[in-house]
Structures are given as C-alpha cells and as structure tokens.
Amino acid sequence: QKSDFPGNGRTNGVAFNIGDKAFAGFGMDGAAFGDFWKYEAQSDQWERVADFPGTSRSNLVGFPIGEKGYIGTGYGANGALSDFWVFNP
C-alpha cells in the first residue's frame, strides 16, 4: 500500500501528472475544496502545494500539457463555472 492521500475525503476532484509527479485536489464533501497536493512516487510522499486562488470547485477538468497543468470549469457554491487556470509547478 502507498501513502494515503492526506487531504479530506472527497468526490468529484481532479488529478493529473506532470513528469514523474502527480497532482490532485479540489472536489467536495458537502462544500467544495480548493486545496491542491503533489505526490512523488519515488519517495511515496504527499506535499500540499499552494491552494487554488480561484473559486473552490468540484466536477472540474484537469490535464497536463508539457510542464504545466490546466484546470477549469466545474461547479462552485454559486453554480457552474467557465473559467480556466494554468498551474506551473
């Protein structure tokens, strides 16, 4: 077994990888989350990275292109969202 995800349990989050690192976060458990985490498989360690500066959300999309990750859309407390953000680790 690998190290458990250290954030709160949740549904409808997002995850993607950049190189040999995985990034995961967002989702909801009653309220939407805006936290973001990095996982390094070689050391089997999770690390919290900078929280998302936009609206916390669930049901979003996320994908990598090159050395950056892209996340956006989804649902926040006030309904559907149409914004998109770039993540540069």
Side-chain angles (χ1 to χ4, degrees), residues 37-59:
W37 300 81
K38 174 176 72 173
Y39 176 74
E40 297 202 34
Q42 287 192 3
S43 63
D44 189 28
Q45 295 290 315
W46 286 94
E47 176 186 348
R48 189 169 184 165
V49 295
D51 286 350
F52 183 59
T55 303
S56 297
R57 62 192 67 202
S58 65
N59 295 36

Side-chain angles (χ1 to χ4, degrees), residues 15-16 21 25 28 79 87:
F16 57 83
K21 295 170 181 61
M28 66 180 297
F87 173 73

